[in-house]
PDB file of all heavy atoms in Angstrom:
ATOM      1  N   GLU A  12     -13.941   4.533   3.395  1.00  0.00           N
ATOM      2  CA  GLU A  12     -15.234   5.114   3.058  1.00  0.00           C
ATOM      3  C   GLU A  12     -15.529   4.807   1.604  1.00  0.00           C
ATOM      4  O   GLU A  12     -14.780   5.215   0.707  1.00  0.00           O
ATOM      5  CB  GLU A  12     -15.231   6.631   3.294  1.00  0.00           C
ATOM      6  CG  GLU A  12     -15.117   7.016   4.765  1.00  0.00           C
ATOM      7  CD  GLU A  12     -15.096   8.518   4.981  1.00  0.00           C
ATOM      8  OE1 GLU A  12     -15.230   9.262   3.971  1.00  0.00           O
ATOM      9  OE2 GLU A  12     -14.928   8.951   6.139  1.00  0.00           O
ATOM     10  N   LYS A  13     -16.549   4.021   1.363  1.00  0.00           N
ATOM     11  CA  LYS A  13     -16.945   3.598   0.014  1.00  0.00           C
ATOM     12  C   LYS A  13     -15.761   3.002  -0.757  1.00  0.00           C
ATOM     13  O   LYS A  13     -15.544   3.305  -1.921  1.00  0.00           O
ATOM     14  CB  LYS A  13     -17.569   4.763  -0.754  1.00  0.00           C
ATOM     15  CG  LYS A  13     -18.882   5.248  -0.153  1.00  0.00           C
ATOM     16  CD  LYS A  13     -19.558   6.309  -1.000  1.00  0.00           C
ATOM     17  CE  LYS A  13     -20.905   6.686  -0.403  1.00  0.00           C
ATOM     18  NZ  LYS A  13     -21.622   7.710  -1.219  1.00  0.00           N
ATOM     19  N   GLY A  14     -15.010   2.161  -0.063  1.00  0.00           N
ATOM     20  CA  GLY A  14     -13.920   1.439  -0.699  1.00  0.00           C
ATOM     21  C   GLY A  14     -12.606   2.174  -0.765  1.00  0.00           C
ATOM     22  O   GLY A  14     -11.599   1.603  -1.183  1.00  0.00           O
ATOM     23  N   ILE A  15     -12.583   3.437  -0.359  1.00  0.00           N
ATOM     24  CA  ILE A  15     -11.368   4.252  -0.437  1.00  0.00           C
ATOM     25  C   ILE A  15     -10.760   4.379   0.955  1.00  0.00           C
ATOM     26  O   ILE A  15     -11.465   4.731   1.908  1.00  0.00           O
ATOM     27  CB  ILE A  15     -11.689   5.642  -1.012  1.00  0.00           C
ATOM     28  CG1 ILE A  15     -12.153   5.515  -2.469  1.00  0.00           C
ATOM     29  CG2 ILE A  15     -10.464   6.566  -0.930  1.00  0.00           C
ATOM     30  CD1 ILE A  15     -12.637   6.810  -3.074  1.00  0.00           C
ATOM     31  N   PRO A  16      -9.476   4.113   1.103  1.00  0.00           N
ATOM     32  CA  PRO A  16      -8.838   4.252   2.413  1.00  0.00           C
ATOM     33  C   PRO A  16      -8.729   5.716   2.818  1.00  0.00           C
ATOM     34  O   PRO A  16      -8.325   6.563   2.026  1.00  0.00           O
ATOM     35  CB  PRO A  16      -7.450   3.633   2.199  1.00  0.00           C
ATOM     36  CG  PRO A  16      -7.194   3.752   0.737  1.00  0.00           C
ATOM     37  CD  PRO A  16      -8.530   3.640   0.069  1.00  0.00           C
ATOM     38  N   VAL A  17      -9.081   6.003   4.070  1.00  0.00           N
ATOM     39  CA  VAL A  17      -9.114   7.404   4.512  1.00  0.00           C
ATOM     40  C   VAL A  17      -8.380   7.647   5.827  1.00  0.00           C
ATOM     41  O   VAL A  17      -8.092   8.790   6.175  1.00  0.00           O
ATOM     42  CB  VAL A  17     -10.565   7.912   4.643  1.00  0.00           C
ATOM     43  CG1 VAL A  17     -11.260   7.944   3.291  1.00  0.00           C
ATOM     44  CG2 VAL A  17     -11.354   7.052   5.640  1.00  0.00           C
ATOM     45  N   SER A  18      -8.076   6.589   6.584  1.00  0.00           N
ATOM     46  CA  SER A  18      -7.444   6.822   7.880  1.00  0.00           C
ATOM     47  C   SER A  18      -6.545   5.664   8.285  1.00  0.00           C
ATOM     48  O   SER A  18      -6.738   4.518   7.853  1.00  0.00           O
ATOM     49  CB  SER A  18      -8.503   7.040   8.970  1.00  0.00           C
ATOM     50  OG  SER A  18      -9.248   5.860   9.195  1.00  0.00           O
ATOM     51  N   VAL A  19      -5.548   5.995   9.100  1.00  0.00           N
ATOM     52  CA  VAL A  19      -4.640   5.007   9.680  1.00  0.00           C
ATOM     53  C   VAL A  19      -4.651   5.213  11.192  1.00  0.00           C
ATOM     54  O   VAL A  19      -4.368   6.320  11.669  1.00  0.00           O
ATOM     55  CB  VAL A  19      -3.204   5.160   9.135  1.00  0.00           C
ATOM     56  CG1 VAL A  19      -2.267   4.158   9.815  1.00  0.00           C
ATOM     57  CG2 VAL A  19      -3.181   4.976   7.626  1.00  0.00           C
ATOM     58  N   ASN A  20      -5.012   4.166  11.917  1.00  0.00           N
ATOM     59  CA  ASN A  20      -5.089   4.229  13.385  1.00  0.00           C
ATOM     60  C   ASN A  20      -5.917   5.420  13.860  1.00  0.00           C
ATOM     61  O   ASN A  20      -5.555   6.126  14.806  1.00  0.00           O
ATOM     62  CB  ASN A  20      -3.685   4.282  13.988  1.00  0.00           C
ATOM     63  CG  ASN A  20      -2.919   2.997  13.756  1.00  0.00           C
ATOM     64  OD1 ASN A  20      -3.505   1.912  13.679  1.00  0.00           O
ATOM     65  ND2 ASN A  20      -1.606   3.104  13.602  1.00  0.00           N
ATOM     66  N   GLY A  21      -7.017   5.667  13.156  1.00  0.00           N
ATOM     67  CA  GLY A  21      -7.940   6.723  13.541  1.00  0.00           C
ATOM     68  C   GLY A  21      -7.584   8.100  13.042  1.00  0.00           C
ATOM     69  O   GLY A  21      -8.375   9.036  13.192  1.00  0.00           O
ATOM     70  N   GLU A  22      -6.424   8.264  12.428  1.00  0.00           N
ATOM     71  CA  GLU A  22      -5.987   9.569  11.925  1.00  0.00           C
ATOM     72  C   GLU A  22      -6.360   9.723  10.451  1.00  0.00           C
ATOM     73  O   GLU A  22      -5.933   8.940   9.610  1.00  0.00           O
ATOM     74  CB  GLU A  22      -4.477   9.716  12.084  1.00  0.00           C
ATOM     75  CG  GLU A  22      -3.942  11.058  11.591  1.00  0.00           C
ATOM     76  CD  GLU A  22      -2.422  11.147  11.613  1.00  0.00           C
ATOM     77  OE1 GLU A  22      -1.757  10.120  11.909  1.00  0.00           O
ATOM     78  OE2 GLU A  22      -1.891  12.241  11.319  1.00  0.00           O
ATOM     79  N   LYS A  23      -7.162  10.732  10.144  1.00  0.00           N
ATOM     80  CA  LYS A  23      -7.538  11.005   8.762  1.00  0.00           C
ATOM     81  C   LYS A  23      -6.319  11.518   7.997  1.00  0.00           C
ATOM     82  O   LYS A  23      -5.630  12.433   8.454  1.00  0.00           O
ATOM     83  CB  LYS A  23      -8.648  12.057   8.702  1.00  0.00           C
ATOM     84  CG  LYS A  23      -9.987  11.580   9.231  1.00  0.00           C
ATOM     85  CD  LYS A  23     -10.766  10.825   8.176  1.00  0.00           C
ATOM     86  CE  LYS A  23     -12.177  10.514   8.642  1.00  0.00           C
ATOM     87  NZ  LYS A  23     -12.969   9.842   7.593  1.00  0.00           N
ATOM     88  N   LEU A  24      -6.069  10.936   6.827  1.00  0.00           N
ATOM     89  CA  LEU A  24      -4.907  11.307   6.022  1.00  0.00           C
ATOM     90  C   LEU A  24      -5.307  11.418   4.563  1.00  0.00           C
ATOM     91  O   LEU A  24      -6.201  10.707   4.089  1.00  0.00           O
ATOM     92  CB  LEU A  24      -3.800  10.247   6.163  1.00  0.00           C
ATOM     93  CG  LEU A  24      -3.186  10.054   7.550  1.00  0.00           C
ATOM     94  CD1 LEU A  24      -2.312   8.814   7.563  1.00  0.00           C
ATOM     95  CD2 LEU A  24      -2.378  11.285   7.956  1.00  0.00           C
ATOM     96  N   ASP A  25      -4.629  12.319   3.832  1.00  0.00           N
ATOM     97  CA  ASP A  25      -4.851  12.350   2.389  1.00  0.00           C
ATOM     98  C   ASP A  25      -4.153  11.156   1.755  1.00  0.00           C
ATOM     99  O   ASP A  25      -3.407  10.415   2.406  1.00  0.00           O
ATOM    100  CB  ASP A  25      -4.397  13.674   1.778  1.00  0.00           C
ATOM    101  CG  ASP A  25      -2.891  13.895   1.828  1.00  0.00           C
ATOM    102  OD1 ASP A  25      -2.129  12.915   1.825  1.00  0.00           O
ATOM    103  OD2 ASP A  25      -2.469  15.069   1.858  1.00  0.00           O
ATOM    104  N   SER A  26      -4.374  10.949   0.469  1.00  0.00           N
ATOM    105  CA  SER A  26      -3.896   9.733  -0.195  1.00  0.00           C
ATOM    106  C   SER A  26      -2.385   9.568  -0.111  1.00  0.00           C
ATOM    107  O   SER A  26      -1.874   8.472   0.168  1.00  0.00           O
ATOM    108  CB  SER A  26      -4.339   9.735  -1.658  1.00  0.00           C
ATOM    109  OG  SER A  26      -3.869  10.911  -2.329  1.00  0.00           O
ATOM    110  N   VAL A  27      -1.644  10.655  -0.352  1.00  0.00           N
ATOM    111  CA  VAL A  27      -0.186  10.573  -0.363  1.00  0.00           C
ATOM    112  C   VAL A  27       0.352  10.274   1.031  1.00  0.00           C
ATOM    113  O   VAL A  27       1.211   9.395   1.214  1.00  0.00           O
ATOM    114  CB  VAL A  27       0.431  11.870  -0.926  1.00  0.00           C
ATOM    115  CG1 VAL A  27       1.958  11.806  -0.878  1.00  0.00           C
ATOM    116  CG2 VAL A  27      -0.048  12.117  -2.363  1.00  0.00           C
ATOM    117  N   ALA A  28      -0.143  10.998   2.027  1.00  0.00           N
ATOM    118  CA  ALA A  28       0.318  10.771   3.398  1.00  0.00           C
ATOM    119  C   ALA A  28      -0.047   9.380   3.881  1.00  0.00           C
ATOM    120  O   ALA A  28       0.728   8.725   4.600  1.00  0.00           O
ATOM    121  CB  ALA A  28      -0.284  11.828   4.327  1.00  0.00           C
ATOM    122  N   LEU A  29      -1.217   8.891   3.479  1.00  0.00           N
ATOM    123  CA  LEU A  29      -1.672   7.580   3.919  1.00  0.00           C
ATOM    124  C   LEU A  29      -0.780   6.467   3.376  1.00  0.00           C
ATOM    125  O   LEU A  29      -0.326   5.582   4.118  1.00  0.00           O
ATOM    126  CB  LEU A  29      -3.126   7.373   3.487  1.00  0.00           C
ATOM    127  CG  LEU A  29      -3.812   6.101   3.976  1.00  0.00           C
ATOM    128  CD1 LEU A  29      -5.271   6.375   4.327  1.00  0.00           C
ATOM    129  CD2 LEU A  29      -3.740   4.994   2.915  1.00  0.00           C
ATOM    130  N   VAL A  30      -0.503   6.508   2.066  1.00  0.00           N
ATOM    131  CA  VAL A  30       0.338   5.462   1.468  1.00  0.00           C
ATOM    132  C   VAL A  30       1.770   5.567   1.987  1.00  0.00           C
ATOM    133  O   VAL A  30       2.425   4.549   2.259  1.00  0.00           O
ATOM    134  CB  VAL A  30       0.300   5.543  -0.075  1.00  0.00           C
ATOM    135  CG1 VAL A  30       1.325   4.591  -0.702  1.00  0.00           C
ATOM    136  CG2 VAL A  30      -1.098   5.209  -0.580  1.00  0.00           C
ATOM    137  N   THR A  31       2.252   6.787   2.157  1.00  0.00           N
ATOM    138  CA  THR A  31       3.607   6.972   2.697  1.00  0.00           C
ATOM    139  C   THR A  31       3.724   6.357   4.095  1.00  0.00           C
ATOM    140  O   THR A  31       4.712   5.677   4.407  1.00  0.00           O
ATOM    141  CB  THR A  31       3.961   8.469   2.744  1.00  0.00           C
ATOM    142  OG1 THR A  31       3.888   9.018   1.422  1.00  0.00           O
ATOM    143  CG2 THR A  31       5.364   8.675   3.295  1.00  0.00           C
ATOM    144  N   LYS A  32       2.718   6.578   4.918  1.00  0.00           N
ATOM    145  CA  LYS A  32       2.742   6.032   6.278  1.00  0.00           C
ATOM    146  C   LYS A  32       2.656   4.514   6.262  1.00  0.00           C
ATOM    147  O   LYS A  32       3.390   3.823   6.991  1.00  0.00           O
ATOM    148  CB  LYS A  32       1.593   6.622   7.097  1.00  0.00           C
ATOM    149  CG  LYS A  32       1.615   6.202   8.562  1.00  0.00           C
ATOM    150  CD  LYS A  32       0.714   7.097   9.402  1.00  0.00           C
ATOM    151  CE  LYS A  32       0.888   6.793  10.880  1.00  0.00           C
ATOM    152  NZ  LYS A  32       0.184   7.778  11.732  1.00  0.00           N
ATOM    153  N   LEU A  33       1.777   3.971   5.429  1.00  0.00           N
ATOM    154  CA  LEU A  33       1.639   2.517   5.360  1.00  0.00           C
ATOM    155  C   LEU A  33       2.893   1.867   4.798  1.00  0.00           C
ATOM    156  O   LEU A  33       3.260   0.755   5.203  1.00  0.00           O
ATOM    157  CB  LEU A  33       0.430   2.142   4.523  1.00  0.00           C
ATOM    158  CG  LEU A  33      -0.941   2.422   5.140  1.00  0.00           C
ATOM    159  CD1 LEU A  33      -2.044   1.989   4.188  1.00  0.00           C
ATOM    160  CD2 LEU A  33      -1.090   1.723   6.480  1.00  0.00           C
ATOM    161  N   ASN A  34       3.547   2.537   3.857  1.00  0.00           N
ATOM    162  CA  ASN A  34       4.807   2.005   3.331  1.00  0.00           C
ATOM    163  C   ASN A  34       5.837   1.847   4.450  1.00  0.00           C
ATOM    164  O   ASN A  34       6.534   0.830   4.535  1.00  0.00           O
ATOM    165  CB  ASN A  34       5.366   2.918   2.247  1.00  0.00           C
ATOM    166  CG  ASN A  34       4.724   2.692   0.888  1.00  0.00           C
ATOM    167  OD1 ASN A  34       4.150   1.632   0.638  1.00  0.00           O
ATOM    168  ND2 ASN A  34       4.808   3.681   0.017  1.00  0.00           N
ATOM    169  N   ALA A  35       5.935   2.861   5.287  1.00  0.00           N
ATOM    170  CA  ALA A  35       6.911   2.818   6.380  1.00  0.00           C
ATOM    171  C   ALA A  35       6.584   1.708   7.374  1.00  0.00           C
ATOM    172  O   ALA A  35       7.467   0.951   7.796  1.00  0.00           O
ATOM    173  CB  ALA A  35       6.963   4.170   7.083  1.00  0.00           C
ATOM    174  N   ILE A  36       5.303   1.593   7.736  1.00  0.00           N
ATOM    175  CA  ILE A  36       4.904   0.569   8.701  1.00  0.00           C
ATOM    176  C   ILE A  36       5.078  -0.828   8.105  1.00  0.00           C
ATOM    177  O   ILE A  36       5.633  -1.735   8.740  1.00  0.00           O
ATOM    178  CB  ILE A  36       3.446   0.791   9.144  1.00  0.00           C
ATOM    179  CG1 ILE A  36       3.302   2.116   9.890  1.00  0.00           C
ATOM    180  CG2 ILE A  36       2.966  -0.367  10.031  1.00  0.00           C
ATOM    181  CD1 ILE A  36       1.858   2.511  10.183  1.00  0.00           C
ATOM    182  N   GLY A  37       4.604  -1.007   6.877  1.00  0.00           N
ATOM    183  CA  GLY A  37       4.709  -2.315   6.236  1.00  0.00           C
ATOM    184  C   GLY A  37       6.145  -2.731   5.984  1.00  0.00           C
ATOM    185  O   GLY A  37       6.515  -3.897   6.195  1.00  0.00           O
ATOM    186  N   ALA A  38       6.972  -1.779   5.542  1.00  0.00           N
ATOM    187  CA  ALA A  38       8.377  -2.082   5.270  1.00  0.00           C
ATOM    188  C   ALA A  38       9.097  -2.552   6.527  1.00  0.00           C
ATOM    189  O   ALA A  38       9.921  -3.476   6.500  1.00  0.00           O
ATOM    190  CB  ALA A  38       9.067  -0.860   4.688  1.00  0.00           C
ATOM    191  N   LYS A  39       8.774  -1.924   7.632  1.00  0.00           N
ATOM    192  CA  LYS A  39       9.385  -2.293   8.919  1.00  0.00           C
ATOM    193  C   LYS A  39       9.153  -3.771   9.236  1.00  0.00           C
ATOM    194  O   LYS A  39      10.050  -4.459   9.745  1.00  0.00           O
ATOM    195  CB  LYS A  39       8.777  -1.412  10.019  1.00  0.00           C
ATOM    196  CG  LYS A  39       9.189  -1.770  11.433  1.00  0.00           C
ATOM    197  CD  LYS A  39       8.441  -0.871  12.423  1.00  0.00           C
ATOM    198  CE  LYS A  39       8.678  -1.295  13.865  1.00  0.00           C
ATOM    199  NZ  LYS A  39       7.876  -0.478  14.816  1.00  0.00           N
ATOM    200  N   HIS A  40       7.981  -4.285   8.888  1.00  0.00           N
ATOM    201  CA  HIS A  40       7.613  -5.658   9.245  1.00  0.00           C
ATOM    202  C   HIS A  40       7.761  -6.650   8.083  1.00  0.00           C
ATOM    203  O   HIS A  40       7.254  -7.774   8.164  1.00  0.00           O
ATOM    204  CB  HIS A  40       6.183  -5.684   9.783  1.00  0.00           C
ATOM    205  CG  HIS A  40       6.035  -4.978  11.094  1.00  0.00           C
ATOM    206  ND1 HIS A  40       6.403  -5.535  12.294  1.00  0.00           N
ATOM    207  CD2 HIS A  40       5.601  -3.716  11.386  1.00  0.00           C
ATOM    208  CE1 HIS A  40       6.179  -4.678  13.275  1.00  0.00           C
ATOM    209  NE2 HIS A  40       5.689  -3.566  12.752  1.00  0.00           N
ATOM    210  N   GLY A  41       8.443  -6.234   7.020  1.00  0.00           N
ATOM    211  CA  GLY A  41       8.699  -7.163   5.919  1.00  0.00           C
ATOM    212  C   GLY A  41       7.471  -7.533   5.118  1.00  0.00           C
ATOM    213  O   GLY A  41       7.388  -8.625   4.532  1.00  0.00           O
ATOM    214  N   ILE A  42       6.500  -6.612   5.043  1.00  0.00           N
ATOM    215  CA  ILE A  42       5.242  -6.863   4.338  1.00  0.00           C
ATOM    216  C   ILE A  42       5.380  -6.514   2.856  1.00  0.00           C
ATOM    217  O   ILE A  42       6.050  -5.548   2.489  1.00  0.00           O
ATOM    218  CB  ILE A  42       4.104  -6.024   4.950  1.00  0.00           C
ATOM    219  CG1 ILE A  42       3.969  -6.281   6.454  1.00  0.00           C
ATOM    220  CG2 ILE A  42       2.780  -6.274   4.224  1.00  0.00           C
ATOM    221  CD1 ILE A  42       3.609  -7.688   6.811  1.00  0.00           C
ATOM    222  N   GLY A  43       4.721  -7.285   2.006  1.00  0.00           N
ATOM    223  CA  GLY A  43       4.543  -6.880   0.616  1.00  0.00           C
ATOM    224  C   GLY A  43       5.596  -7.324  -0.365  1.00  0.00           C
ATOM    225  O   GLY A  43       5.721  -6.734  -1.447  1.00  0.00           O
ATOM    226  N   ILE A  44       6.360  -8.357  -0.074  1.00  0.00           N
ATOM    227  CA  ILE A  44       7.330  -8.891  -1.038  1.00  0.00           C
ATOM    228  C   ILE A  44       6.633  -9.956  -1.883  1.00  0.00           C
ATOM    229  O   ILE A  44       6.039 -10.893  -1.366  1.00  0.00           O
ATOM    230  CB  ILE A  44       8.551  -9.500  -0.320  1.00  0.00           C
ATOM    231  CG1 ILE A  44       9.332  -8.414   0.422  1.00  0.00           C
ATOM    232  CG2 ILE A  44       9.452 -10.216  -1.322  1.00  0.00           C
ATOM    233  CD1 ILE A  44      10.454  -8.943   1.292  1.00  0.00           C
ATOM    234  N   ALA A  45       6.707  -9.802  -3.203  1.00  0.00           N
ATOM    235  CA  ALA A  45       6.111 -10.774  -4.123  1.00  0.00           C
ATOM    236  C   ALA A  45       7.151 -11.172  -5.160  1.00  0.00           C
ATOM    237  O   ALA A  45       7.748 -10.317  -5.816  1.00  0.00           O
ATOM    238  CB  ALA A  45       4.880 -10.191  -4.809  1.00  0.00           C
ATOM    239  N   ASP A  46       7.366 -12.453  -5.302  1.00  0.00           N
ATOM    240  CA  ASP A  46       8.303 -13.012  -6.270  1.00  0.00           C
ATOM    241  C   ASP A  46       7.478 -13.824  -7.248  1.00  0.00           C
ATOM    242  O   ASP A  46       6.876 -14.830  -6.882  1.00  0.00           O
ATOM    243  CB  ASP A  46       9.328 -13.885  -5.536  1.00  0.00           C
ATOM    244  CG  ASP A  46      10.403 -14.468  -6.453  1.00  0.00           C
ATOM    245  OD1 ASP A  46      10.251 -14.386  -7.687  1.00  0.00           O
ATOM    246  OD2 ASP A  46      11.393 -15.007  -5.928  1.00  0.00           O
ATOM    247  N   ILE A  47       7.409 -13.390  -8.512  1.00  0.00           N
ATOM    248  CA  ILE A  47       6.501 -14.029  -9.466  1.00  0.00           C
ATOM    249  C   ILE A  47       7.162 -14.214 -10.826  1.00  0.00           C
ATOM    250  O   ILE A  47       7.857 -13.320 -11.323  1.00  0.00           O
ATOM    251  CB  ILE A  47       5.194 -13.207  -9.613  1.00  0.00           C
ATOM    252  CG1 ILE A  47       4.280 -13.815 -10.694  1.00  0.00           C
ATOM    253  CG2 ILE A  47       5.482 -11.760  -9.918  1.00  0.00           C
ATOM    254  CD1 ILE A  47       2.915 -13.144 -10.819  1.00  0.00           C
ATOM    255  N   VAL A  48       6.956 -15.378 -11.422  1.00  0.00           N
ATOM    256  CA  VAL A  48       7.265 -15.602 -12.837  1.00  0.00           C
ATOM    257  C   VAL A  48       5.960 -15.340 -13.580  1.00  0.00           C
ATOM    258  O   VAL A  48       5.047 -16.153 -13.559  1.00  0.00           O
ATOM    259  CB  VAL A  48       7.780 -17.029 -13.092  1.00  0.00           C
ATOM    260  CG1 VAL A  48       8.034 -17.235 -14.587  1.00  0.00           C
ATOM    261  CG2 VAL A  48       9.073 -17.290 -12.305  1.00  0.00           C
ATOM    262  N   GLU A  49       5.880 -14.174 -14.189  1.00  0.00           N
ATOM    263  CA  GLU A  49       4.613 -13.719 -14.778  1.00  0.00           C
ATOM    264  C   GLU A  49       4.615 -13.857 -16.291  1.00  0.00           C
ATOM    265  O   GLU A  49       5.667 -13.944 -16.932  1.00  0.00           O
ATOM    266  CB  GLU A  49       4.350 -12.264 -14.395  1.00  0.00           C
ATOM    267  CG  GLU A  49       5.300 -11.285 -15.035  1.00  0.00           C
ATOM    268  CD  GLU A  49       5.314  -9.924 -14.369  1.00  0.00           C
ATOM    269  OE1 GLU A  49       5.569  -9.843 -13.150  1.00  0.00           O
ATOM    270  OE2 GLU A  49       5.092  -8.928 -15.083  1.00  0.00           O
ATOM    271  N   ASN A  50       3.418 -13.870 -16.845  1.00  0.00           N
ATOM    272  CA  ASN A  50       3.247 -13.929 -18.296  1.00  0.00           C
ATOM    273  C   ASN A  50       3.139 -12.519 -18.851  1.00  0.00           C
ATOM    274  O   ASN A  50       2.134 -11.836 -18.643  1.00  0.00           O
ATOM    275  CB  ASN A  50       1.982 -14.716 -18.642  1.00  0.00           C
ATOM    276  CG  ASN A  50       2.134 -16.199 -18.366  1.00  0.00           C
ATOM    277  OD1 ASN A  50       2.891 -16.872 -19.050  1.00  0.00           O
ATOM    278  ND2 ASN A  50       1.441 -16.690 -17.353  1.00  0.00           N
ATOM    279  N   ARG A  51       4.188 -12.079 -19.531  1.00  0.00           N
ATOM    280  CA  ARG A  51       4.127 -10.769 -20.176  1.00  0.00           C
ATOM    281  C   ARG A  51       3.113 -10.780 -21.309  1.00  0.00           C
ATOM    282  O   ARG A  51       2.868 -11.810 -21.943  1.00  0.00           O
ATOM    283  CB  ARG A  51       5.494 -10.383 -20.745  1.00  0.00           C
ATOM    284  CG  ARG A  51       6.509  -9.933 -19.725  1.00  0.00           C
ATOM    285  CD  ARG A  51       7.788  -9.487 -20.405  1.00  0.00           C
ATOM    286  NE  ARG A  51       8.806  -9.080 -19.434  1.00  0.00           N
ATOM    287  CZ  ARG A  51      10.051  -8.762 -19.751  1.00  0.00           C
ATOM    288  NH1 ARG A  51      10.446  -8.795 -21.017  1.00  0.00           N
ATOM    289  NH2 ARG A  51      10.906  -8.408 -18.812  1.00  0.00           N
ATOM    290  N   LEU A  52       2.565  -9.621 -21.589  1.00  0.00           N
ATOM    291  CA  LEU A  52       1.615  -9.483 -22.687  1.00  0.00           C
ATOM    292  C   LEU A  52       2.250  -9.864 -24.016  1.00  0.00           C
ATOM    293  O   LEU A  52       1.592 -10.437 -24.884  1.00  0.00           O
ATOM    294  CB  LEU A  52       1.103  -8.034 -22.737  1.00  0.00           C
ATOM    295  CG  LEU A  52       0.211  -7.656 -23.915  1.00  0.00           C
ATOM    296  CD1 LEU A  52      -1.066  -8.488 -23.909  1.00  0.00           C
ATOM    297  CD2 LEU A  52      -0.128  -6.175 -23.874  1.00  0.00           C
ATOM    298  N   VAL A  53       3.548  -9.579 -24.189  1.00  0.00           N
ATOM    299  CA  VAL A  53       4.212  -9.806 -25.472  1.00  0.00           C
ATOM    300  C   VAL A  53       4.582 -11.268 -25.689  1.00  0.00           C
ATOM    301  O   VAL A  53       5.213 -11.598 -26.695  1.00  0.00           O
ATOM    302  CB  VAL A  53       5.465  -8.917 -25.620  1.00  0.00           C
ATOM    303  CG1 VAL A  53       5.073  -7.455 -25.719  1.00  0.00           C
ATOM    304  CG2 VAL A  53       6.431  -9.136 -24.453  1.00  0.00           C
ATOM    305  N   GLY A  54       4.207 -12.162 -24.772  1.00  0.00           N
ATOM    306  CA  GLY A  54       4.309 -13.577 -25.069  1.00  0.00           C
ATOM    307  C   GLY A  54       5.316 -14.384 -24.285  1.00  0.00           C
ATOM    308  O   GLY A  54       5.292 -15.613 -24.339  1.00  0.00           O
TER     309      GLY A  54
END
């Protein structure tokens, strides 16, 4: 709703419950691993 996530599979959830649930689902399927050589601000 207006760019803010509000539900998972039709179930309305508050922010904490929503991210907690997505973490569990995503982790199960190996989602969200990023390996990066990044440029730190300090140079």
Side-chain angles (χ1 to χ4, degrees):
E12 293 179 3
K13 295 186 176 181
I15 295 174
V17 295
S18 67
V19 177
N20 293 329
E22 180 186 6
K23 291 276 188 177
L24 296 170
D25 67 28
S26 57
V27 177
L29 185 142
V30 172
T31 301
K32 185 164 188 171
L33 289 180
N34 279 339
I36 296 171
K39 174 184 173 184
H40 293 281
I42 305 297
I44 295 173
D46 183 349
I47 176 175
V48 178
E49 69 197 56
N50 289 291
R51 284 184 182 174
L52 174 62
V53 293

